[in-house]
Short mmCIF file of all heavy atoms in Angstrom, two decimals:
data_model
loop_
_atom_site.label_atom_id
_atom_site.label_comp_id
_atom_site.label_asym_id
_atom_site.label_seq_id
_atom_site.Cartn_x
_atom_site.Cartn_y
_atom_site.Cartn_z
N ARG A 19 -60.68 -27.18 23.96
CA ARG A 19 -61.80 -26.69 23.15
C ARG A 19 -62.96 -27.67 23.17
O ARG A 19 -64.13 -27.27 23.26
CB ARG A 19 -61.35 -26.44 21.71
CG ARG A 19 -60.51 -25.20 21.54
CD ARG A 19 -60.09 -25.02 20.08
NE ARG A 19 -59.23 -23.87 19.94
CZ ARG A 19 -59.66 -22.63 19.80
NH1 ARG A 19 -60.97 -22.38 19.76
NH2 ARG A 19 -58.82 -21.62 19.67
N SER A 20 -62.65 -28.96 23.09
CA SER A 20 -63.70 -29.97 23.17
C SER A 20 -64.42 -29.90 24.51
O SER A 20 -65.64 -30.04 24.59
CB SER A 20 -63.10 -31.36 22.97
OG SER A 20 -64.07 -32.38 23.22
N ARG A 21 -63.67 -29.65 25.56
CA ARG A 21 -64.27 -29.57 26.89
C ARG A 21 -65.11 -28.30 27.03
O ARG A 21 -66.15 -28.32 27.69
CB ARG A 21 -63.17 -29.65 27.96
CG ARG A 21 -62.54 -31.03 28.05
CD ARG A 21 -61.36 -31.08 29.02
NE ARG A 21 -60.83 -32.42 29.14
CZ ARG A 21 -60.61 -33.06 30.30
NH1 ARG A 21 -60.87 -32.45 31.44
NH2 ARG A 21 -60.13 -34.28 30.32
N ALA A 22 -64.65 -27.20 26.43
CA ALA A 22 -65.46 -25.98 26.45
C ALA A 22 -66.78 -26.20 25.74
O ALA A 22 -67.85 -25.81 26.22
CB ALA A 22 -64.69 -24.83 25.81
N ARG A 23 -66.71 -26.83 24.59
CA ARG A 23 -67.94 -27.14 23.86
C ARG A 23 -68.80 -28.13 24.64
O ARG A 23 -70.03 -28.02 24.68
CB ARG A 23 -67.59 -27.71 22.48
CG ARG A 23 -66.87 -26.72 21.58
CD ARG A 23 -66.31 -27.38 20.32
NE ARG A 23 -65.54 -26.45 19.51
CZ ARG A 23 -64.91 -26.76 18.39
NH1 ARG A 23 -64.97 -28.02 17.93
NH2 ARG A 23 -64.24 -25.86 17.72
N GLY A 24 -68.14 -29.09 25.28
CA GLY A 24 -68.88 -30.06 26.08
C GLY A 24 -69.64 -29.42 27.22
O GLY A 24 -70.74 -29.86 27.57
N ALA A 25 -69.06 -28.36 27.80
CA ALA A 25 -69.75 -27.69 28.91
C ALA A 25 -71.05 -27.07 28.44
O ALA A 25 -72.10 -27.21 29.10
CB ALA A 25 -68.84 -26.62 29.51
N LEU A 26 -71.03 -26.37 27.29
CA LEU A 26 -72.26 -25.74 26.80
C LEU A 26 -73.25 -26.76 26.26
O LEU A 26 -74.46 -26.68 26.53
CB LEU A 26 -71.93 -24.71 25.72
CG LEU A 26 -71.27 -23.41 26.19
CD1 LEU A 26 -71.18 -22.42 25.03
CD2 LEU A 26 -72.02 -22.77 27.35
N TYR A 27 -72.76 -27.74 25.50
CA TYR A 27 -73.67 -28.77 25.02
C TYR A 27 -74.24 -29.59 26.17
O TYR A 27 -75.42 -29.94 26.18
CB TYR A 27 -72.97 -29.69 24.02
CG TYR A 27 -73.04 -29.19 22.59
CD1 TYR A 27 -72.02 -28.40 22.07
CD2 TYR A 27 -74.10 -29.52 21.77
CE1 TYR A 27 -72.07 -27.93 20.77
CE2 TYR A 27 -74.16 -29.06 20.46
CZ TYR A 27 -73.16 -28.26 19.96
OH TYR A 27 -73.22 -27.81 18.66
N GLY A 28 -73.40 -29.90 27.15
CA GLY A 28 -73.89 -30.66 28.30
C GLY A 28 -74.97 -29.91 29.06
O GLY A 28 -75.97 -30.50 29.49
N LEU A 29 -74.77 -28.61 29.23
CA LEU A 29 -75.78 -27.78 29.89
C LEU A 29 -77.10 -27.86 29.13
O LEU A 29 -78.17 -28.09 29.72
CB LEU A 29 -75.28 -26.34 29.96
CG LEU A 29 -76.13 -25.31 30.72
CD1 LEU A 29 -75.24 -24.17 31.20
CD2 LEU A 29 -77.25 -24.74 29.87
N ALA A 30 -77.04 -27.67 27.81
CA ALA A 30 -78.27 -27.66 27.00
C ALA A 30 -78.92 -29.04 26.94
O ALA A 30 -80.15 -29.16 26.99
CB ALA A 30 -77.96 -27.15 25.60
N ILE A 31 -78.10 -30.09 26.83
CA ILE A 31 -78.64 -31.45 26.79
C ILE A 31 -79.33 -31.78 28.10
O ILE A 31 -80.45 -32.30 28.13
CB ILE A 31 -77.53 -32.46 26.47
CG1 ILE A 31 -77.12 -32.34 24.99
CG2 ILE A 31 -77.96 -33.89 26.78
CD1 ILE A 31 -75.85 -33.10 24.63
N GLY A 32 -78.67 -31.50 29.22
CA GLY A 32 -79.29 -31.75 30.52
C GLY A 32 -80.57 -30.97 30.70
O GLY A 32 -81.58 -31.49 31.18
N ASP A 33 -80.54 -29.71 30.30
CA ASP A 33 -81.72 -28.86 30.40
C ASP A 33 -82.89 -29.43 29.60
O ASP A 33 -84.02 -29.52 30.09
CB ASP A 33 -81.34 -27.46 29.90
CG ASP A 33 -82.50 -26.48 29.90
OD1 ASP A 33 -83.40 -26.61 30.74
OD2 ASP A 33 -82.50 -25.57 29.03
N ALA A 34 -82.63 -29.82 28.34
CA ALA A 34 -83.69 -30.34 27.48
C ALA A 34 -84.21 -31.68 28.00
O ALA A 34 -85.42 -31.97 27.90
CB ALA A 34 -83.17 -30.49 26.05
N LEU A 35 -83.34 -32.51 28.56
CA LEU A 35 -83.80 -33.77 29.14
C LEU A 35 -84.69 -33.52 30.35
O LEU A 35 -85.68 -34.23 30.57
CB LEU A 35 -82.60 -34.63 29.54
CG LEU A 35 -81.81 -35.30 28.41
CD1 LEU A 35 -80.53 -35.92 28.96
CD2 LEU A 35 -82.65 -36.36 27.72
N GLY A 36 -84.34 -32.51 31.15
CA GLY A 36 -85.11 -32.22 32.36
C GLY A 36 -86.33 -31.36 32.14
O GLY A 36 -87.12 -31.17 33.07
N MET A 37 -86.48 -30.83 30.92
CA MET A 37 -87.63 -29.96 30.64
C MET A 37 -88.97 -30.60 31.01
O MET A 37 -89.79 -29.98 31.72
CB MET A 37 -87.60 -29.53 29.18
CG MET A 37 -88.80 -28.72 28.70
SD MET A 37 -90.22 -29.75 28.16
CE MET A 37 -89.54 -30.60 26.74
N PRO A 38 -89.28 -31.84 30.60
CA PRO A 38 -90.61 -32.39 30.89
C PRO A 38 -90.81 -32.83 32.33
O PRO A 38 -91.95 -33.00 32.78
CB PRO A 38 -90.70 -33.59 29.94
CG PRO A 38 -89.30 -34.02 29.74
CD PRO A 38 -88.49 -32.75 29.75
#
Side-chain angles (χ1 to χ4, degrees):
R19 286 180 183 276
S20 172
R21 290 175 177 231
R23 296 170 184 178
L26 288 188
Y27 272 93
L29 185 155
I31 287 169
D33 178 30
L35 286 171
M37 175 275 295

